[in-house]
Amino acid sequence: MSEEETILELEDVTKKFGDIVANDGIDLSVRRGEVHGLLGENGAGKSTLMNILYGLYSPTSGTITFEGTPRNFDSPNDAIDVGIGMVHQHFMLVPRMTVLENIVLGERETESTGGVLSPLKRLFGRERDGPRERVEELATEYGLTVDPDANVWELDIGERQRVEILKALYRDIDLLILDEPTAVLTPNEAEQLFETIDTLVTEGLTVIFITHKLWEVEEMADRVTVLRDGEKIETIDADTVSQRDLAEKMVGREVLFRLDTEPVAVGDPVLEAEGLRAHDDRGVSVLSGVDLTVREGEVVGIAGVSGNGQRELAECLIGDRSVQTGRISVNGTDLTGQSPRTFIDAGVSFVPEDRYKHGCAEQLSVMHNAGSKVYRNGELSGDSALLDYDEMETYANQLVEEFDVRGVENVRETAAGDLSGGNLQKLILAREMHRNPDLLVANQPTRGVDVGAIERIRELMLEQRTDGTGVVLISEDLDELLDMSDRILVMYDGQFVFETTPEETDKWELGMYMSTGAKPDGTERTQRTEGLK
Amino acid sequence: MSIIAGTLESTVRLATPLLLAAMGEVIAERSGVLNLGVEGMMLAGALAGFAGAISTGSLWLGFAIGMLAGAALALLHAVLCISLKADQVISGIMLTLLGTGLTTYFGRAWVGRNVDGFDQIALPLLSDIPVVGQAFFSVTALDYLSLGLVPVIWYLLFRTNVGSEITAVGEDPETADTAGVPVFRIQYACVLLGGALAGAAGAQLSLAFTNFWGVEMTAGRGWIAVALVIFAQWHIWRLLAGAYLFAAIDALSFRSGAVRDAVLSGVDIAAVESAVDFLLNPQVMNTYPYIMTVVVLWYVMRQGNLNELGGPSALVDAYSREQD
């Protein structure tokens, strides 16, 4: 019965941040050698619970038993010491340091001869050749190839994740927590990760896999625990439950899986961009001749691995980044080189990738953020030349109501930055769409947003499309692109390398174009990628 | 003494406080904590070192007391900025003002007194080299010490476990924390060490350079040290070069009259004369370190972004674990 042995037991764990209860009396039991899925919407408390387990947060109450002993972690160091490792959703790597330096960071296990000088040796010695051999050994053992001397900033996302896993393995762990590990990966990279997880489990590790993607649970997990609103709903065997049931448990109501995407008649072009070339923030060329036309009532989806020029393209299309060569016209008017203000006035709306940094003024109220574009046309000024806060409040309340923005106690008081990701996104969409734009440029509009809000955000964008708005949808979520787009373009290395429609393609093909920039060769589809169709 | 030999000799002695203070600042900043209180900590070190040396009768004890005074002010900065997450810029400027005010008040009793400062130690043979020998190999123990510290601190920051941890904390404290690095302990240690080195820089001024205490005797050298860190782009070896460059400008400004005459000998054009007069005016020369720093900033930023300047990514960001 060794398979039934419990490695980790959380009992009645509660965590409060001020008045907010992030985890409410959660029990969790994990068996040795299993892949345990932790499923829940964003804000359900998954990451908080795992941060407690990793010693980053201290629980308000509750107990943690690991390997049969009650534990009290003051810092990640304590958790690492007993054999718990974690790969965070946002990678915990220092870009300026090398892979090896990142892996050994925090370790002070330089071969010590003992004696009074050994503490000094640990501080002032240097981890170098011993670790290199170990890292290379681990890399071979688990198939995690990566150059130990490369700087982390040079690595792509998949490689960085391998470094993270190596970093955890290097500490001799028994339990590995993966926090939404596939969120940033292409389907092909995700498949590699799944193979790695298989290897880890074969080698005797236990894995906790946090996700909000249902098919991943079905694919990877032995058992799954569903969290909702900080509470545990239940733990189930993964192969006895359907995705639809899981979704219901996770969201608490029935979820629509397919959107109604009746195409609408497309009209005249609202956006015509030709031969766009542009530089990134470092002055390196990132767009090398991009042509893009979007017509009224058309959703053009842009797929690509992050960092292939999508963000810069979006910024060019709203006038926020200057183009080196090429032309952009909106509704037939040439706006090349004009200010973002001119683009806004011409009817361009924008949903930026980083909603906290670029989508809102975090410290300002919902009211100020809601009105931060329309105030210019005098709508919020009443009779005077100054802003009329009552008018503004009414306007903000109207948006909050209409777009179902939750978590707003008082539009004047609640700061935009305090809203959850999904609700902030709805607020931003409200601001951008209420002005009925001709062109909407949306960059990753649903990334990191919970299932319920995703549904609503997609509906809102499609409604806008039906009203004749042309939409540029940049996304790494291939389901979203396939569901919503009329046309799909794949961006690779600053260019569009593939154009298709949702009917003619599938995730596997898109994934191949995204990761190689070229037509897929005859590579066999594995069983798993077949499941991606 | 020729102008060149004299200038060279004062350059070495003027470089020492800049080098000590700037190395301290580099250590603090590489752990992510900006400390604009260098000027205040240097003043505290200068007065405490001077008073300590006279009271105990030992120059080295005085020097140590000066370092402690600098570290004490730095501790205040550390508590405010690391534990209480106060704004580092505000706290640092407060520290400078506090150091200036306190040393002006407590220093009154020590004005007008003198101390037999650190003696020059001539290294055999080396000090006999013409021009360079006197300047570099017949200096005080503190000058040798500051030079000796350069490779030590370079090694500490770039070749040890703890140096790698300091870098990680300054780049991304959250990452360092999750890797098991004691973030706050590292930051405290770096800020305190930085304060002690600033205190040492001040004590060098009063115990090995002027040999007396004077109100605001650091005369902006603390600020030059801060600029020097940026000028050197947080590199230790460039810091060494920069300290000597800035010190040479300082040394020349003491001799601006003589330098002017040397430059203008045989020149008889009014426009050139007034231009040289302007450029060699001591007050104008005092701005050169800042102008050079601006040029470095401009040169680097012109072709890239802030990252390429070399500053720690998390500089000035207070880290707290349970924020979300």
Side-chain angles (χ1 to χ4, degrees):
Chain A
M1 292 297 282
S2 67
E3 272 195 20
E4 298 293 312
E5 187 196 346
T6 301
I7 184 168
L8 171 76
E9 187 90 50
L10 300 184
E11 275 169 291
D12 201 21
V13 171
T14 296
K15 175 66 186 174
K16 293 179 185 166
F17 293 103
D19 293 336
I20 300 161
V21 184
N23 288 150
D24 192 359
I26 292 182
D27 297 323
L28 176 69
S29 166
V30 178
R31 292 177 194 151
R32 187 181 296 280
E34 75 171 339
V35 177
H36 194 107
L38 196 56
L39 183 70
E41 295 186 279
N42 277 74
K46 306 176 303 265
S47 295
T48 305
L49 188 66
M50 290 302 108
N51 281 331
I52 290 173
L53 179 55
Y54 192 56
L56 266 177
Y57 297 168
S58 45
T60 311
S61 64
T63 55
I64 301 172
T65 309
F66 184 70
E67 306 260 31
T69 320
R71 310 282 181 172
N72 206 342
F73 302 137
D74 287 331
S75 76
N77 225 351
D78 297 347
I80 295 168
D81 280 347
V82 301
I84 298 176
M86 179 159 176
V87 174
H88 290 79
Q89 189 178 357
H90 308 287
F91 293 151
M92 296 292 180
L93 297 170
V94 181
R96 275 200 198 161
M97 295 177 25
T98 66
V99 169
L100 191 63
E101 283 170 339
N102 267 287
I103 289 175
V104 301
L105 180 65
E107 280 278 280
R108 293 175 180 170
E109 301 294 325
T110 310
E111 315 86 89
S112 149
T113 45
V116 277
L117 284 180
S118 71
L120 284 179
K121 219 169 165 185
R122 258 181 257 143
L123 271 180
F124 301 112
R126 192 180 201 200
E127 301 281 327
R128 189 108 208 140
D129 296 330
R132 179 189 302 275
E133 277 167 34
R134 267 224 51 218
V135 168
E136 277 163 3
E137 258 172 48
L138 284 171
T140 328
E141 189 180 347
Y142 294 98
L144 298 160
T145 43
V146 63
D147 173 11
D149 294 313
N151 287 309
V152 165
W153 60 264
E154 297 168 308
L155 305 182
D156 67 33
I157 300 288
E159 288 175 308
R160 287 183 198 204
Q161 189 169 56
R162 294 204 281 279
V163 178
E164 280 278 27
I165 295 173
L166 272 176
K167 190 169 112 182
L169 293 174
Y170 184 78
R171 309 296 172 93
D172 264 335
I173 50 163
D174 301 307
L175 172 69
L176 179 63
I177 306 163
L178 298 167
D179 190 357
E180 307 217 3
T182 58
V184 290
L185 301 183
T186 61
N188 313 54
E189 286 171 331
E191 196 208 338
Q192 267 197 355
L193 172 71
F194 292 158
E195 277 166 20
T196 305
I197 295 176
D198 282 344
T199 321
L200 294 177
V201 173
T202 321
E203 298 281 332
L205 262 82
T206 309
V207 174
I208 298 180
F209 186 99
I210 305 179
T211 184
H212 57 218
K213 294 183 190 159
L214 302 165
W215 70 268
E216 289 181 356
V217 170
E218 209 159 58
E219 182 68 49
M220 286 311 301
D222 299 312
R223 293 191 307 155
V224 54
T225 296
V226 182
L227 298 186
R228 185 170 78 223
D229 297 331
E231 287 177 52
K232 175 184 168 178
I233 304 303
E234 66 176 314
T235 299
I236 338 161
D237 281 335
D239 46 9
T240 63
V241 65
S242 73
Q243 292 200 13
R244 185 163 292 275
D245 291 344
L246 276 177
E248 265 189 63
K249 287 182 205 301
M250 175 164 90
V251 183
R253 63 190 158 77
E254 211 177 323
V255 179
L256 276 175
F257 268 98
R258 285 280 152 190
L259 289 157
D260 177 24
T261 48
E262 281 291 296
V264 287
V266 294
D268 297 329
V270 283
L271 170 78
E272 287 163 291
E274 274 169 38
L276 293 186
R277 288 173 187 275
H279 291 170
D280 69 3
D281 297 337
R282 292 172 159 262
V284 179
S285 168
V286 276
L287 293 183
S288 36
V290 170
D291 300 319
L292 178 63
T293 304
V294 181
R295 293 168 180 278
E296 286 173 8
E298 185 184 35
V299 177
V300 177
I302 296 178
V305 177
S306 145
N308 276 285
Q310 301 95 312
R311 185 166 65 87
E312 289 81 3
L313 174 64
E315 287 168 359
C316 287
L317 296 182
I318 58 142
D320 199 20
R321 177 173 296 274
S322 48
V323 297
Q324 302 298 315
T325 59
R327 318 204 64 78
I328 301 174
S329 45
V330 175
N331 286 326
T333 318
D334 187 349
L335 295 183
T336 315
Q338 300 289 326
S339 69
R341 174 76 188 272
T342 317
F343 277 78
I344 292 170
D345 291 343
V348 179
S349 273
F350 182 44
V351 177
E353 184 179 19
D354 187 336
R355 55 190 79 104
Y356 288 95
K357 229 167 152 182
H358 302 131
C360 71
E362 282 184 69
Q363 307 283 321
L364 289 184
S365 70
V366 168
M367 175 180 86
H368 282 97
N369 276 288
S372 62
K373 270 189 180 160
V374 289
Y375 79 95
R376 285 209 198 89
N377 54 27
E379 254 179 65
L380 307 178
S381 303
D383 301 324
S384 74
L386 306 174
L387 286 176
D388 181 337
Y389 271 24
D390 292 333
E391 200 113 341
M392 243 174 130
E393 188 174 351
T394 317
Y395 177 75
N397 275 322
Q398 186 196 338
L399 290 194
V400 165
E401 179 97 2
E402 214 175 290
F403 287 80
D404 187 30
V405 183
R406 296 182 206 173
V408 183
E409 262 174 50
N410 176 339
V411 289
R412 286 198 190 199
E413 302 289 329
T414 309
D418 289 343
L419 296 178
S420 74
N423 284 305
L424 177 59
Q425 193 70 316
K426 283 189 269 184
L427 177 67
I428 293 168
L429 273 168
R431 180 185 71 205
E432 298 299 323
M433 307 219 291
H434 196 258
R435 42 194 295 268
N436 207 2
D438 295 323
L439 174 69
L440 175 69
V441 179
N443 193 357
Q444 313 287 358
T446 59
R447 179 154 82 186
V449 169
D450 55 76
V451 173
I454 285 178
E455 208 184 333
R456 183 75 192 123
I457 289 168
R458 290 180 183 166
E459 275 170 18
L460 287 168
M461 288 196 292
L462 289 176
E463 278 169 34
Q464 196 63 44
R465 190 261 317 240
T466 313
D467 291 345
T469 300
V471 179
V472 176
L473 172 65
I474 300 173
S475 179
E476 284 167 39
D477 182 338
L478 297 181
D479 285 319
E480 174 166 279
L481 289 173
L482 291 166
D483 276 1
M484 296 200 33
S485 314
D486 297 307
R487 280 192 294 140
I488 296 177
L489 297 162
V490 179
M491 200 161 188
Y492 181 80
D493 204 13
Q495 282 176 315
F496 289 130
V497 292
F498 184 48
E499 173 167 358
T500 182
T501 63
E503 293 75 31
E504 288 166 359
T505 188
D506 58 32
K507 281 165 85 170
W508 184 81
E509 189 183 40
L510 288 176
M512 287 306 287
Y513 274 105
M514 282 165 65
S515 46
T516 63
K519 197 171 159 50
D521 52 22
T523 321
E524 285 290 303
R525 297 188 180 202
T526 65
Q527 217 174 358
R528 250 183 206 138
T529 41
E530 202 60 37
L532 292 173
K533 278 179 89 173
Chain B
M1 203 188 311
S2 75
I3 294 183
I4 294 174
T7 306
L8 217 50
E9 201 181 327
S10 0
T11 297
V12 175
R13 305 171 72 194
L14 285 163
T16 301
L18 291 183
L19 192 55
L20 286 171
M23 283 193 296
E25 184 66 10
V26 162
I27 296 171
E29 287 192 19
R30 284 190 66 93
S31 80
V33 184
L34 176 72
N35 190 347
L36 293 180
V38 182
E39 181 83 358
M41 297 187 296
M42 277 177 76
L43 280 167
L47 177 61
F50 183 73
I54 289 184
S55 310
T56 61
S58 156
L59 286 172
W60 282 108
L61 268 181
F63 183 70
I65 291 170
M67 289 179 75
L68 281 179
L73 275 186
L75 178 63
L76 181 62
H77 185 65
V79 171
L80 283 174
C81 297
I82 302 168
S83 298
L84 302 178
K85 327 285 176 212
D87 186 295
Q88 294 177 8
V89 173
I90 294 174
S91 168
I93 289 175
M94 176 281 294
L95 214 61
T96 286
L97 298 174
L98 185 70
T100 311
L102 288 180
T103 53
T104 303
Y105 178 79
F106 289 109
R108 285 186 305 192
W110 302 93
V111 171
R113 301 182 66 168
N114 277 298
V115 67
D116 275 335
F118 281 93
D119 286 328
Q120 292 176 355
I121 304 168
L123 297 185
L125 296 180
L126 288 173
S127 59
D128 296 334
I129 304 170
V131 186
V132 186
Q134 275 297 309
F136 285 92
F137 303 109
S138 178
V139 293
T140 68
L142 300 185
D143 299 317
Y144 292 125
L145 178 73
S146 74
L147 283 170
L149 271 179
V150 175
V152 171
I153 287 176
W154 171 81
Y155 187 83
L156 173 84
L157 287 177
F158 297 102
R159 288 292 180 272
T160 64
N161 285 338
V162 76
S164 168
E165 291 176 11
I166 292 170
T167 306
V169 169
E171 286 294 318
D172 187 344
E174 197 182 1
T175 293
D177 196 8
T178 56
V181 175
V183 173
F184 300 128
R185 239 185 291 162
I186 295 258
Q187 288 187 324
Y188 262 90
C190 288
V191 171
L192 289 180
L193 185 55
L197 285 171
Q204 186 270 353
L205 281 176
S206 61
L207 296 178
F209 191 69
T210 61
N211 296 342
F212 61 77
W213 158 256
V215 171
E216 293 187 38
M217 63 183 290
T218 49
R221 291 197 175 84
W223 291 108
I224 293 185
V226 173
L228 177 55
V229 172
I230 302 168
F231 179 81
Q233 298 184 262
W234 292 265
H235 288 292
I236 294 296
W237 300 112
R238 280 191 221 174
L239 201 73
L240 177 65
Y244 276 80
L245 178 64
F246 288 1
I249 294 168
D250 205 3
L252 282 173
S253 79
F254 281 130
R255 298 169 174 74
S256 59
V259 175
R260 177 192 174 278
D261 293 343
V263 171
L264 288 179
S265 66
V267 178
D268 196 21
I269 307 163
V272 173
E273 269 183 46
S274 53
V276 170
D277 275 341
F278 174 75
L279 291 174
L280 290 180
N281 176 297
Q283 269 86 42
V284 173
M285 290 186 77
N286 281 339
T287 66
Y288 288 175
Y290 300 112
I291 292 174
M292 288 171 165
T293 304
V294 169
V295 169
V296 168
L297 278 173
W298 172 80
Y299 181 77
V300 174
M301 301 302 285
R302 190 184 50 103
Q303 53 188 2
N305 59 6
L306 204 58
N307 277 335
E308 285 172 35
L309 188 59
S313 306
L315 188 63
V316 181
D317 294 342
Y319 172 62
S320 61
R321 193 180 270 172
E322 295 208 3
Q323 73 183 22
D324 36 357

